[in-house]
Amino acid sequence: GAVVSQHPSWVICKSGTSVKIECRSLDFQATTMFWYRQFPKQSLMLMATSNEGSKATYEQGVEKDKFLINHASLTLSTLTVTSAHPEDSSFYICSARVLAGALYEQYFGPGTRLTVT
Amino acid sequence: TQLLEQSPQFLSIQEGENLTVYCNSSSVFSSLQWYRQEPGEGPVLLVTVVTGGEVKKLKRLTFQFGDARKDSSLHITAAQPGDTGLYLCAGALTGGGNKLTFGTGTQLKVEL
């Protein structure tokens, strides 16, 4: 159980275009999902918390108009990188929060490699 | 300033050796998780520790949560090439809305 998928697994786009990344919880419902960004050989950086049915909460320094998050259902959150530029090239990972007993645990998707040319 | 510091950053060892990875902070965490990540993939949850002083074992991996819940360690016995990967600790701050703060990461390479 607790499987999270992401689509696409990798994408190459031209500068100025927009790219949408999907994050799905396959065998459970998730009211809260998280979006992270990871640069090579570095740790994960939280970008935003995606809440089903409400607006996402963005971390300091993350442009909400550039990284649009929509959590329209209990199994799907999307991240749209608008007007992408080469500096947006990165590995984007989502996670879904699961209540395990009295604890919340996070399960991660396999990530999406974005390259902007 | 990074909230969770991991050491060492990089570790290259021979198969069969033992190793310990440390995760340190000045903040108190309600829980702490350890993940392993392989290149091009998402992190995979290894363990969650909650109680100060708690020790959990997962085959050759031993995880310990500090008494004050500010630090943790991961000890691997008789490392194997399959243990190679990026090890990440992540803590949930008390009152932090269950958001995880990730450590700086430890890149482990186990060679034959």
Side-chain angles (χ1 to χ4, degrees):
Chain A
V3 178
V4 178
S5 71
Q6 277 183 245
H7 179 81
S9 54
W10 59 270
V11 57
I12 300 173
C13 70
K14 292 189 176 180
S15 188
T17 62
S18 295
V19 174
K20 181 186 282 188
I21 303 170
E22 295 185 348
C23 177
R24 293 182 186 272
S25 55
L26 296 185
D27 49 359
F28 64 100
Q29 294 182 330
T31 55
T32 303
M33 293 183 175
F34 301 90
W35 286 96
Y36 295 83
R37 186 172 179 176
Q38 185 178 33
F39 292 103
K41 300 191 187 298
Q42 293 187 23
S43 189
L44 277 68
M45 182 188 77
L46 179 65
M47 298 175 67
T49 302
S50 172
N51 304 296
E52 187 269 334
S54 64
K55 290 184 180 180
T57 305
Y58 290 82
E59 295 300 300
Q60 192 171 9
V62 178
E63 298 176 61
K64 61 180 181 181
D65 294 330
K66 180 165 187 62
F67 298 100
L68 300 179
I69 291 172
N70 185 15
H71 195 153
S73 79
L74 288 171
T75 59
L76 173 65
S77 174
T78 60
L79 167 68
T80 301
V81 183
T82 62
S83 186
H85 290 285
E87 57 265 30
D88 298 324
S89 298
S90 191
F91 193 51
Y92 292 88
I93 310 175
C94 72
S95 71
R97 194 176 72 174
V98 175
L99 187 59
L103 278 180
Y104 281 109
E105 293 183 334
Q106 284 190 31
Y107 290 87
F108 287 81
T112 296
R113 171 76 57 196
L114 169 64
T115 302
V116 184
T117 60
Chain B
T1 303
Q2 186 70 32
L3 204 55
L4 271 170
E5 294 283 346
Q6 283 183 238
S7 62
Q9 268 188 293
F10 301 97
L11 189 56
S12 181
I13 61 172
Q14 298 295 117
E15 183 180 19
E17 291 184 32
N18 302 330
L19 67 116
T20 302
V21 177
Y22 298 93
C23 174
N24 295 302
S25 176
S26 57
S27 300
V28 177
F29 294 95
S30 59
S31 66
L32 192 137
Q33 299 178 346
W34 283 92
Y35 293 84
R36 187 176 84 201
Q37 184 182 24
E38 299 194 26
E41 298 181 11
V44 174
L45 179 64
L46 297 174
V47 78
T48 299
V49 286
V50 179
T51 307
E54 182 177 4
V55 177
K56 280 192 174 179
K57 291 194 174 185
L58 184 67
K59 297 184 180 177
R60 293 177 293 101
L61 277 61
T62 302
F63 305 86
Q64 184 162 9
F65 202 11
D67 291 339
R69 291 185 288 132
K70 293 182 179 181
D71 52 78
S72 181
S73 64
L74 157 61
H75 183 78
I76 301 179
T77 304
Q80 298 176 0
D83 295 327
T84 293
L86 178 66
Y87 287 82
L88 297 161
C89 64
L93 287 168
T94 305
N98 297 117
K99 287 192 303 186
L100 286 180
T101 298
F102 274 85
T104 46
T106 295
Q107 185 66 54
L108 171 65
K109 184 176 182 181
V110 183
E111 298 181 288
L112 290 168

